[in-house]
Amino acid sequence: MGLIVQKFGGTSVANSDKILAAARKAIRAQQQGHQVVMVVSAMGHHTDELVELARQINERPPAREMDMLLATGEQVSVALMAMAIQSLGHRAVSLTGAQIGIRTDSTHTKARIRNITTERMQSLLDQGNIVIAAGFQGIDENFEITTLGRGGSDTTAVALAAVLRANECEIYTDVDGIYTTDPRIVPEARRVERISYDEMLELSSLGAGVMHNRSIEFAKKFGVAIHVRTSLSDSTGTMIVAAPESADQAVCGAAMTKDEARVTLAGVPDVPGMSHEIFSRIAARNITVDMIVQNVGAEGKANISFTVPRDELAVTLEAVESARDTLGEIDISADESVSKVSVVGLGMARQTGIAHRMFDALASEGVNIQMITTSEIKISVLVQRDEAQRALRAVHQAFHLDKAPDVRPLPPVQPAPRPLDVADVVASLRDLNMEQLVINDIQLDESQGRISIAGVPDQPGVAAKLFEQIGEAGIFVDLIIQSHKGRNGQASISFTVPRDQVAAAVEVTNRLAQTYQFTKVTSSPVVAKLTVSGIGLRSHTDVAIRMFRALSELGVNVEMINTSEVRLNVVVAAEQGQRSLAALEAAFADVRV
Ligand code: ASP
Ligand code: MG
C-alpha cells in the first residue's frame, strides 16, 4: 500500500512491446494496492538522435532551443505510455514537466529543480489514474521549457518520490542493479544487494555511470529508498538506502574514470589566495575539479596539480591562462593520457591498511601511481590510461569484491531517515530550492599530525612499501596525498596520523628515506583538519571556492585538501584551526541546516 514511483529509462521504452511491458508493470503495482506514478525517458536513443540533428543544423545550438527540442522526446513516450495503459483497460494521464509544475531555475540544458507542486498529481491519483510524468524536463519562472541535463529522468523520478512521499522509487533499466565495478571491464564484478547513498554518490561521480548523480543527492536529502532493477524480469535489484550492505566491509566498490586529464601549474607564488584565484576561474565555467594537490616547492613557489574530465581540458586551460596576469610567471603543463581508479566504502574509515592494500595491488601489477588522494570514504589514484583497466581489475581482486561480504545476517533495511522533511520545508518556504547545497556539519579535528616527504622517486611500489611499513608499525593513517612529479621527476607525499604516532611514523619514513633517497622528511606534531559535510558538494562547483576564499581572506594557507561528494577536507596549520573553523561557519551560514 502507499505510493510508488516507477521510472523507465530509454532502453525500457525503446519500442511498442517494451512500452506495453512497462505499462503492465505499473498496472500490476496498482492492482497490488499502490498509487502509481510513472516517470519515463525518451524512447531508446531518441535524445541522442535529436542532439545529432541539432548539430547538423547548428554547431552551437542555443541552449534554450536545445531544451525545446530535447523535451519533445519525453513528451512522445509519456503519451504512448498513457495510450498503452488505456489499451489494457486502465486509467492513465500523461503530464509534461510544465503540467506537473516542476519549477526549475533558468540554466538551460542543466537546470536544477526548485520546487514541485503535488496537487494535480495527487488528485489524478485519487481518481484512480496512473500518472505518467515526463522525465528530464521542467519549466522556469517565465514558462520557458528547461531540461535537467543528460540522464536527468532519474532525478525527476526521485524528486517526485520525495515530494509525494512515496514508499519507494523503482528505477527500471537494462542492468539488474548496481555492481561492485563495471562488469564489462571486470567480468567477476558482483551485483550488490544494497548500497548506501554516500557510497553510491562517490561511485557514480568516480565513473560508475548507472544513475544521475543528482538523483542520489535528492534521495539522501529527502530519505527516498531507491530500487534499481531490470525491466526485463521480475528479479530484485539493488536498494540504495542510508545503510551500507555490510557493517564490516571496508570497500564496497571500485570505479574508473577513464578519460581524465591532469593539469600542473608550477611556480605559483606560495601566498594565500592563489588557489582561490585559479579554482574560481575554473568553477566559473562549471567544471568539476578533482584530485587537487599542492606542494610547496623552492623559493616561495608552489606546484598545484589537479584533474578535470578530459573533454573539459581545453576550457580549463583557457581558464588558467586567464589567471596568468595575477599569477605571474607560471609554467602550465597537462597530460591527457591518464585515468583515475578509485575504491569507495563507508567502512574504510574504521579499518587500517586499506590504502596500503590498494597500493600493493597496483605495485604487484607494476602500475605506477602518478597522484593519490584519499578521504574517509574513498581512495583515488591517477595512472596512465593504458594501465587503468588492469589496475581496476587488480584492485577489485585485492578487496575480494567478487565475493558477497561474509558477515552476520544483514540487518533489515531500515525505513530511510528523512533528514529534511519535504512537506514541512515546502510549507515554510514558498521559494524552496530543492536542489540547493546543504551543509549539515563543519568540524575541526586537532588530534592529528602530518608527515611530508619530498623527493619521492617516480616508480611503482614506493607508496606500497611506505604504507606497508607504516601499517606494520600499527600506525593509523587518515589522509594521504601524493603530488604529481612535476618537471623534476620527483613527487611528494603527505599523510596525517594521530598525534601520538607522529614520532613513530617519522621513524619509519626515515628508515625508508635511505632506500628510496627521499630528499627531505618533515613533520608537524599537530595540524588542524577541517571537514565540511553536506549534500551537493561537487555538483555545486563553487563549494571549494567558498572555502578557498574564506581561508585566503584570513591569510590561512591550505596544506592539504581533499574533495568528495559528501565531504570537503582541508588541513591547515594547528594555530589556524579555530579561526578557520569560524571562517568556514560564516562562509556556509546561508546553506547550513
Ligand atoms: N532522455 C534524456 C537523456 O537521454 C533523459 C534521460 O533519459 O534520463 O539524457
Ligand atoms: Mg539513465
Side-chain angles (χ1 to χ4, degrees):
M1 290 295 169
L3 194 146
I4 183 164
V5 174
Q6 298 186 322
K7 181 252 171 180
F8 292 87
T11 49
S12 307
V13 294
N15 56 41
S16 51
D17 284 345
K18 290 188 173 176
I19 291 177
L20 282 159
R24 284 191 203 95
K25 281 199 196 289
I27 291 168
R28 193 169 59 189
Q30 194 188 43
Q31 285 170 339
Q32 286 164 354
H34 294 100
Q35 294 193 322
V36 182
V37 174
M38 295 176 90
V39 174
V40 289
S41 295
M43 294 171 67
H45 297 291
H46 193 179
T47 311
D48 291 329
E49 287 154 19
L50 293 172
V51 170
E52 176 49 31
L53 197 54
R55 303 255 180 267
Q56 284 170 18
I57 287 169
N58 184 333
E59 267 177 38
R60 293 180 147 228
R64 177 189 184 274
E65 304 307 335
M66 268 323 261
D67 280 353
M68 189 66 100
L69 178 69
L70 297 192
T72 62
E74 273 69 15
Q75 194 169 335
V76 169
S77 42
V78 285
L80 293 173
M81 187 64 76
M83 294 177 198
I85 291 174
Q86 288 154 6
S87 77
L88 295 168
H90 293 262
R91 301 181 58 172
V93 177
S94 63
L95 298 172
T96 64
Q99 286 173 314
I100 298 169
I102 299 187
R103 291 281 173 179
T104 70
D105 63 23
S106 304
T107 325
H108 284 292
T109 76
K110 39 182 179 260
R112 287 175 185 279
I113 298 178
R114 288 181 176 277
N115 56 43
I116 302 175
T117 46
T118 55
E119 289 80 15
R120 182 160 185 195
M121 281 185 291
Q122 199 58 64
S123 84
L124 287 169
L125 289 167
D126 293 343
Q127 291 156 29
N129 292 288
I130 291 177
V131 169
I132 303 162
F136 173 59
Q137 55 178 261
I139 190 173
D140 78 357
E141 56 186 358
N142 300 317
F143 304 98
E144 297 280 14
I145 293 175
T146 55
T147 65
L148 309 180
R150 296 304 307 272
S153 294
D154 292 334
T155 294
T156 306
V158 179
L160 290 183
V163 293
L164 292 165
R165 299 168 151 273
N167 296 12
E168 191 171 299
C169 182
E170 293 183 325
I171 304 286
Y172 285 98
T173 174
D174 53 351
V175 293
D176 61 356
I178 306 295
Y179 278 72
T180 49
T181 197
D182 187 343
R184 288 167 302 186
I185 301 172
V186 182
E188 60 271 28
R190 177 182 66 89
R191 181 177 61 78
V192 300
E193 294 293 320
R194 183 166 85 178
I195 189 165
S196 67
Y197 297 131
D198 286 356
E199 291 166 329
M200 191 69 238
L201 275 168
E202 299 296 354
L203 277 174
S204 58
S205 82
L206 294 167
V210 181
M211 297 277 295
H212 199 231
N213 234 25
R214 281 158 52 196
S215 70
I216 313 293
E217 291 179 355
F218 255 108
K220 178 180 177 187
K221 196 183 268 182
F222 299 110
V224 177
I226 299 179
H227 185 179
V228 180
R229 57 195 308 189
T230 173
S231 53
L232 300 173
S233 76
D234 285 331
S235 59
T236 57
T238 299
M239 293 301 300
I240 307 176
V241 289
E245 186 174 39
S246 141
D248 301 348
Q249 193 187 24
V251 169
C252 74
M256 171 172 103
T257 315
K258 188 162 161 257
D259 293 312
E260 285 280 282
R262 173 192 51 83
V263 177
T264 300
L265 312 179
V268 179
D270 186 27
V271 294
M274 288 301 127
S275 297
H276 176 232
E277 188 62 41
I278 296 163
F279 294 115
S280 58
R281 291 182 193 241
I282 300 174
R285 290 157 172 86
N286 256 316
I287 295 168
T288 313
V289 172
D290 195 24
M291 296 191 84
I292 303 172
V293 178
Q294 171 170 339
N295 61 327
V296 179
E299 289 138 27
K301 301 279 186 177
N303 286 358
I304 299 179
S305 291
F306 54 91
T307 61
V308 293
R310 187 185 184 186
D311 55 9
E312 303 199 292
L313 178 62
V315 186
T316 304
L317 291 175
E318 247 174 63
V320 176
E321 288 290 345
S322 78
R324 263 196 203 275
D325 43 338
T326 342
L327 298 178
E329 283 294 301
I330 53 165
D331 173 44
I332 305 171
S333 61
D335 181 356
E336 287 190 74
S337 62
V338 288
S339 300
K340 182 169 62 188
V341 174
S342 311
V343 295
V344 167
L346 274 183
M348 103 178 31
R350 292 186 304 271
Q351 292 188 28
T352 54
I354 302 303
H356 164 244
R357 224 198 291 176
M358 175 157 182
F359 304 154
D360 200 43
L362 297 169
S364 315
E365 283 288 320
V367 173
N368 190 31
I369 304 175
Q370 301 188 6
M371 281 169 77
I372 302 172
T373 63
T374 76
S375 73
E376 296 84 348
I377 183 171
K378 70 167 180 185
I379 304 170
S380 293
V381 298
L382 196 70
V383 302
Q384 211 174 289
R385 182 164 309 127
D386 57 13
E387 297 184 330
Q389 300 208 354
R390 206 151 46 86
L392 181 67
R393 193 158 187 183
V395 166
H396 192 270
Q397 239 162 38
F399 289 101
H400 308 295
L401 292 177
D402 54 327
K403 306 208 177 51
D406 128 56
V407 283
R408 353 166 198 126
L410 285 179
V413 178
Q414 304 288 326
R418 291 186 179 269
L420 291 185
D421 191 292
V422 163
D424 292 352
V425 183
V426 171
S428 63
L429 273 171
R430 269 193 53 239
D431 192 29
L432 170 74
N433 182 350
M434 292 186 77
E435 286 196 71
Q436 89 176 19
L437 169 71
V438 157
I439 300 297
N440 55 12
D441 199 19
I442 301 181
Q443 273 188 10
L444 169 63
D445 169 4
E446 297 177 301
S447 71
Q448 300 191 69
R450 175 176 51 85
I451 293 87
S452 295
I453 311 169
V456 177
D458 181 38
Q459 70 193 51
V462 185
K465 193 78 197 161
L466 172 64
F467 290 104
E468 175 192 82
Q469 308 243 323
I470 293 279
E472 276 168 7
I475 298 166
F476 185 84
V477 179
D478 182 19
L479 300 181
I480 303 174
I481 280 173
Q482 178 187 311
S483 72
H484 186 263
K485 66 179 152 88
R487 293 235 195 269
N488 65 6
Q490 291 186 326
S492 65
I493 294 181
S494 293
F495 58 100
T496 63
V497 301
R499 280 160 80 155
D500 58 4
Q501 298 191 310
V502 171
V506 169
E507 207 183 297
V508 172
T509 311
N510 276 331
R511 270 207 313 269
L512 283 176
Q514 296 282 316
T515 327
Y516 290 116
Q517 280 151 10
F518 296 154
T519 47
K520 200 153 117 209
V521 176
T522 54
S523 64
S524 298
V526 50
V527 290
K529 174 185 168 195
L530 294 134
T531 303
V532 177
S533 311
I535 304 176
L537 295 190
R538 291 217 306 176
S539 61
H540 294 264
T541 47
D542 67 332
V543 174
I545 305 313
R546 286 190 189 216
M547 187 218 52
F548 281 130
R549 188 188 308 124
L551 296 179
S552 86
E553 279 167 10
L554 278 189
V556 169
N557 196 28
V558 174
E559 296 179 2
M560 293 168 82
I561 172 165
N562 168 269
T563 62
S564 83
E565 290 293 327
V566 297
R567 251 189 210 106
L568 181 72
N569 286 314
V570 288
V571 171
V572 304
E575 59 276 14
Q576 311 272 26
Q578 293 293 346
R579 294 169 65 221
S580 301
L581 178 65
L584 291 182
E585 282 290 3
F588 291 105
D590 59 325
V591 288
R592 196 79 162 85
V593 293

